[in-house]
Amino acid sequence: MDDVDAIVVGAGHNGLVAANLLADAGWTVRVLEATPQPGGAVRSGHVTAPGYLSDLFSAFYPLGYASPVLNRLDLDIAWTHAPDVYTHLLPDGRAATVSRDVDRTAESMEQFAPGDGDRWRHAYADWRAVSGSMLDTLFTPFPPVRPSVGLLRRLKAGGALRLARRMVLSVRELGSELFDGEGAALALAGCTLHTDLSPDEAGGGVYGWLLAMLGQEVGWPAPVGGAGQLTSALVRRFPGEIVYDAPVTRVLVARGRAMGVRTADGRDWRARRAVIADVPAPALYLDLVGERWLPPRLTEDLTHFRWDGATIKIDWAVRSKVPWKNPAAAGAGTVHLGADMNGLTRYAAHLAAGEIPPDPFLLLGQMTTTDATRSPDGTESMWAYTHLPHRPSWHADEIAAHVERMEAVIEEQAPGFRSEIVARNVFAPADMERENPSLVGGALGGGTAAAFQQLFLRPVPGLGRADTPVDRLFLGSSSAHPGGGVHGAPGANAARAALARHGNPLYPAVIGAAHRVIYR
């Protein structure tokens, strides 16, 4: 095989972003993908009934839509929105709805407490004042010096300190500080539980604030024709070669430098300048590189790497629209249901104790409501997922029992839902890992979103950058800063690091010296 400048391991969206950016810089790039298709967790398929298209993993992309990384690629994607962004249904049937129309959102929050409509407007104005700088800070390689300076200039010292305090609050505490009623607070809290954090965990509030305010600002859009259209756009844009059914089993290292990779068929693939790995950090370091080439301190730190929770996801083909008791849920692309604030805490406590929550909190997507191409007129292509403890394996009867619990939660808020089901597809944690080997144990985020595994602590204490202790090897997956979500930043950061390493003769010496200090 001909040599190339860079090999990218994995054709998930981060790997494809990295490959595109390196190709834009004039590098020759080859992508090696373990499975028969690209996309990783950004894929669609017909898994329920004919005519019903499902997003197999991720579905809505506020971070991707707002991401400066993906926007700079100028991808050929048509986006679509549901009438409302999302609704949180309380167990008593009330609904807190976020719409792209701030007045409509405020009206919904006002029903829970007088003045919460204006409080929501104020919270949104606070967000709009910093949103551009915040997103640049989030999606820039660590440390984000230039965006942080811009943020400090905008906020001044006092405002920056108050923002820093907000960033470490739990979402329960943040919601109680911003609002009087539980509707707006739950609108934030449900978003935090898209991660593996509880309502009471320090640092969780920023996730709820980010996703809720992005929903207000840009919505939670989906690609017309399915999540796979995002992957297809990245593949179409990439001028290099993608090799499928080519699982990488080893990164080839000589004298501390990545020289290429070996695939399961025994073939060696040489990279002249860089190897970028869109795989989880433990898989890269422990399986593909091996302890021989790693500082002992790094391998020790990896024993403390924490996965995010497991996930069970159901896709349904529904012969009608969902018969919600509260019509506020009918127009929402996403519905959060099954718990109020204390219920979210109880749900998270069961997960923390390694127990199956008896009353699951669901994240539910109404895809035909969002995109009419997903199923026939008057029907719904729908999914829901919930978290489980991270375990090595699950018994089939445990999964079947939890499917029953999940459908019971929906039936409570939409009587008659079960009678309208045409077909269902269940992805248990092991099914998710089978479909995408990077979803280890059904973990969607490449590692916990907890504060102790973020920034310069992701994936282990270090530089917070894509660089690894192996020269010319870069981590470009969601295990790297800034973590999970479909936004392309880990892949972009890895590509930038590879370009900097090649373009600056001092770069490898500086990074190498930093790693020796950290891992000695």
Side-chain angles (χ1 to χ4, degrees), residues 95-151:
T97 297
V98 173
S99 166
R100 285 183 291 157
D101 180 345
V102 69
D103 291 333
R104 180 173 166 81
T105 305
E107 181 181 356
S108 179
M109 304 312 168
E110 187 75 14
Q111 298 177 61
F112 290 86
D116 266 6
D118 286 338
R119 293 183 189 98
W120 183 276
R121 290 188 182 92
H122 181 72
Y124 180 50
D126 286 347
W127 163 258
R128 288 298 302 272
V130 300
S131 61
S133 298
M134 282 283 291
L135 292 173
D136 285 341
T137 299
L138 179 64
F139 296 133
T140 298
F142 194 85
V145 176
R146 186 176 299 175
S148 297
V149 169
L151 197 58

Side-chain angles (χ1 to χ4, degrees), residues 263-489:
T263 46
D265 59 3
R267 186 180 305 179
D268 291 346
W269 309 73
R270 180 175 170 81
R272 290 186 291 262
R273 296 178 175 177
V275 174
I276 291 178
D278 181 11
V279 301
L284 173 62
Y285 287 125
L286 301 179
D287 300 333
L288 302 187
V289 175
E291 295 186 18
R292 174 188 174 188
W293 298 107
L294 299 174
R297 179 66 63 86
L298 173 58
T299 56
E300 179 184 341
D301 287 342
L302 283 167
T303 64
H304 305 299
F305 178 88
R306 191 175 116 190
W307 292 104
D308 43 313
T311 306
I312 176 172
K313 178 176 179 286
I314 312 174
D315 289 283
W316 293 276
V318 186
R319 67 170 52 91
S320 67
K321 292 299 182 182
V322 181
W324 297 108
K325 287 192 292 187
N326 190 328
T334 298
V335 182
H336 299 160
L337 72 162
D340 56 14
M341 188 70 76
N342 289 336
L344 292 176
T345 293
R346 288 190 291 270
Y347 161 80
H350 282 288
L351 294 174
E355 301 168 353
I356 299 175
D359 300 303
F361 168 67
L362 304 189
L363 299 151
L364 181 150
Q366 299 185 113
M367 300 316 301
T368 310
T369 296
T370 306
D371 174 11
T373 70
R374 305 298 182 92
S375 68
D377 289 345
T379 69
E380 191 67 63
S381 178
M382 191 177 94
W383 56 262
Y385 78 79
T386 191
H387 292 304
L388 292 168
H390 198 275
R391 292 183 184 174
S393 62
W394 291 90
H395 295 297
D397 56 349
E398 292 179 300
I399 297 300
H402 214 55
V403 169
E404 286 293 315
R405 294 186 194 101
M406 292 171 69
E407 291 191 349
V409 170
I410 302 171
E411 185 76 18
E412 176 67 24
Q413 296 289 348
F417 161 72
R418 280 177 160 164
S419 66
E420 297 301 305
I421 296 173
V422 176
R424 70 174 58 79
N425 179 76
V426 177
F427 274 165
D431 301 318
M432 289 199 163
E433 185 172 355
R434 182 194 67 241
E435 292 289 325
N436 179 1
S438 288
L439 304 182
V440 176
L444 301 180
T448 180
F452 63 76
Q453 202 164 288
Q454 293 299 315
L455 303 174
F456 57 89
L457 305 176
R458 190 170 187 89
V460 296
L463 300 177
R465 298 180 60 83
D467 307 88
T468 75
V470 177
D471 186 26
R472 303 201 311 190
L473 175 64
F474 304 90
L475 178 63
S477 71
S478 59
S479 287
H481 170 74
V486 178
H487 44 71

Side-chain angles (χ1 to χ4, degrees), residues 66-103:
S67 168
V69 171
L70 294 184
N71 285 329
R72 281 193 289 266
L73 292 177
D74 194 24
L75 298 174
D76 179 21
I77 302 172
W79 295 98
T80 184
H81 296 264
D84 290 318
V85 180
Y86 68 95
T87 288
H88 192 116
L89 281 178
L90 281 72
D92 63 12
R94 291 179 297 163
T97 297
V98 173
S99 166
R100 285 183 291 157
D101 180 345
V102 69
D103 291 333

